[in-house]
Amino acid sequence: MNFVKKYLTTIAIALGFSAVCSAEIIPVYKIDAATGSYVQTTLTHDIYRYSADTQLKDLIVTDQQGNKLPYRISAPDTKISVQTQQTPVRYFPVPVGASPETLLILSSASIRLADNEISVSVEKGNNPLAENQTAATDFYVVDLSDVRTRVDSLAILWPINEAHQYLEVEVSGTNDMTNWTPITNTTLVQLQKEGEYLTRNKIALNLNEMQYAYLRLKFTRGGDNLKLTSVHIENTDKIANAPTADTWEVQGALAEKQSSALHGERHNNNSAVAAWEFTRDDIAPVSQVSLNLGNIQYGDRLNVFSRRSSKQPWQLVHQGIWFNAQVGSEWERSDAISIYSNSDTQWRVELNELVRTTLTPALVFHRTTQTLQFIANNTAPYNIAIDNQTTTDHQAVSAQIFSQLMAGKDVQWESVTAEPLNPNLGSFARHQVDINWKTILFWFVLISAVGALVWVAVRLVGQINSNN
């Protein structure tokens, strides 16, 4: 009987200790340097490694004595940070061997491009003059003589085809059509596959107002039979601070299943792919994902899936074409894929099966940082902590008190940096092993049965000894 009592006592103590641990408030960040009463700091995706709720309902802010402080979590200022203006400008092709005098005449020409020739009709002064020239294009001249603004960059468009996917161009400037000053060399690119595009068609110039009257575009690669369709000046003005981007990478591993998950686990699908699977340790809602393929050329299909746990089927997030191409000395990739507030922890990426042994992709997550504001009480240090007992919506309660205290006040917020405390992830409820009550019940019954048998055996041995 003493054995049984000790056994039950041990179980009770263990369960009581577990209950105490589950209600523990664990500090995640510490703030030492705050001196004012109105304090704010930035929250990145790292806080979601510890939280069990995608809305951070289990977050609390405490002072040195452990008193809870009112706070609110808000998105940063989302005002437009840049404004871009495009202005079309005149341009014309120049035949091989054209003289500076001819170029000055051409600057006021009307241009007609036929399939295999350039026809130029010119009117100058009051005397009508018609000149028709047919020759290969040596270079293009962009007329800036009437432009009264600076020129940040030049945006160029041309028909997309295999011969003109990559264009290397030298840009020079002049005011007299005789003396040309080199400005820059760059590579332009237009790729297209299955309705998806990768376009890098802008030349950075950073020219002052009226610095040059004309620009020369000399295509040293891919310029044979090239016909430009438009040329624009592009100027960008900064008008506000953009929200801080929160971006991080997760490394993956080759998936066990190398056939596409596009049609679900239960369907017979023999479509071979190169698949990698990724697991992130946070549940931050992300707004965009992208791929980092390093310095490997790629321009083919892409499937992206996600799910909350391995017990769920893969859900298609995006299907399309992904470009990773070298443009000059820089590597360019497709724009990030927009998704809506996805907090899934498991991800799968499928590419063309031919790159299975040559690529090691990293999955890049994007979101906007959040701002935590709280009302301090001059008892630093302050802790940003997670309450493992998530039955209370701390954020809603705190935000209500916060709004009441701040009603009608216009205050200056003190921005501080929160120092990470890096607590053990295993201490938090979300990272603890899920309890399987069926398994526990099975072992309880089994141990109880064994204990009963041991007790019966002890009684029988005792009786035998007493009889002897």
Side-chain angles (χ1 to χ4, degrees), residues 93-320:
V94 176
V96 175
S99 64
E101 292 77 15
T102 303
L103 298 185
L104 290 172
I105 295 174
L106 290 176
S107 65
S108 60
S110 61
I111 312 298
R112 182 177 63 83
L113 298 179
D115 290 338
N116 297 312
E117 64 180 22
I118 303 170
S119 176
V120 183
S121 299
V122 181
E123 287 187 355
K124 187 178 180 181
N126 296 324
N127 298 320
L129 176 65
E131 293 182 5
N132 291 317
Q133 301 179 2
T134 301
T137 300
D138 190 11
F139 53 86
Y140 281 81
V141 168
V142 179
D143 188 355
L144 302 181
S145 58
D146 296 329
V147 175
R148 295 294 182 267
T149 63
R150 72 182 193 279
V151 180
D152 292 345
S153 62
L154 212 61
I156 297 173
L157 288 179
W158 66 95
I160 300 177
N161 53 61
E162 292 185 0
H164 301 132
Q165 289 182 339
Y166 296 90
L167 303 177
E168 292 183 1
V169 59
E170 298 177 350
V171 184
S172 305
T174 186
N175 287 306
D176 57 9
M177 288 293 186
T178 301
N179 300 305
W180 297 88
T181 303
I183 298 176
T184 187
N185 299 327
T186 191
T187 301
L188 308 178
V189 60
Q190 282 195 125
L191 301 178
Q192 184 273 336
K193 185 169 183 176
E194 297 179 11
E196 299 287 338
Y197 298 88
L198 175 65
T199 301
R200 300 293 184 263
N201 66 325
K202 298 176 183 178
I203 306 173
L205 298 177
N206 299 319
L207 300 180
N208 298 325
E209 181 179 345
M210 301 298 294
Q211 185 171 348
Y212 296 109
Y214 305 95
L215 299 178
R216 179 176 63 187
L217 307 182
K218 177 75 172 180
F219 293 94
T220 58
R221 174 192 174 189
D224 294 339
N225 300 318
L226 176 68
K227 297 178 177 61
L228 302 184
T229 56
S230 72
V231 179
H232 287 77
I233 290 174
E234 184 173 281
N235 289 331
T236 301
D237 296 305
K238 295 182 179 180
I239 59 175
N241 292 325
T244 305
D246 187 10
T247 303
W248 68 103
E249 290 188 359
V250 175
Q251 300 296 325
L254 275 173
E256 180 179 352
K257 178 184 176 182
Q258 290 295 311
S259 58
S260 180
L262 188 59
H263 302 295
E265 300 287 345
R266 298 182 179 179
H267 291 73
N268 183 17
N269 180 22
N270 297 320
S271 177
V273 294
W276 290 263
E277 293 182 359
F278 307 79
T279 301
R280 59 182 179 130
D281 60 3
D282 65 88
I283 54 173
V286 293
S287 57
Q288 292 180 316
V289 293
S290 59
L291 282 183
N292 183 358
L293 302 182
N295 296 340
I296 302 295
Q297 198 87 7
Y298 188 81
D300 211 323
R301 59 180 174 174
L302 166 71
N303 295 329
V304 180
F305 305 83
S306 73
R307 63 186 181 186
R308 293 186 179 181
S309 70
S310 56
K311 298 179 181 179
Q312 297 178 330
W314 290 109
Q315 299 295 322
L316 182 65
V317 173
H318 175 79
Q319 182 179 23

Side-chain angles (χ1 to χ4, degrees), residues 38-40 72 373-375 402 406 411-415:
Y38 304 100
V39 182
Q40 67 178 10
R72 71 177 177 187
Q373 297 177 328
F374 65 92
I375 302 175
F402 184 96
M406 295 298 297
V411 302
Q412 294 295 322
W413 292 96
E414 177 187 0
S415 296

Side-chain angles (χ1 to χ4, degrees), residues 26 124 142 213 330 346 360:
I26 306 177
K124 187 178 180 181
V142 179
E330 301 293 331
Q346 297 187 12
T360 307

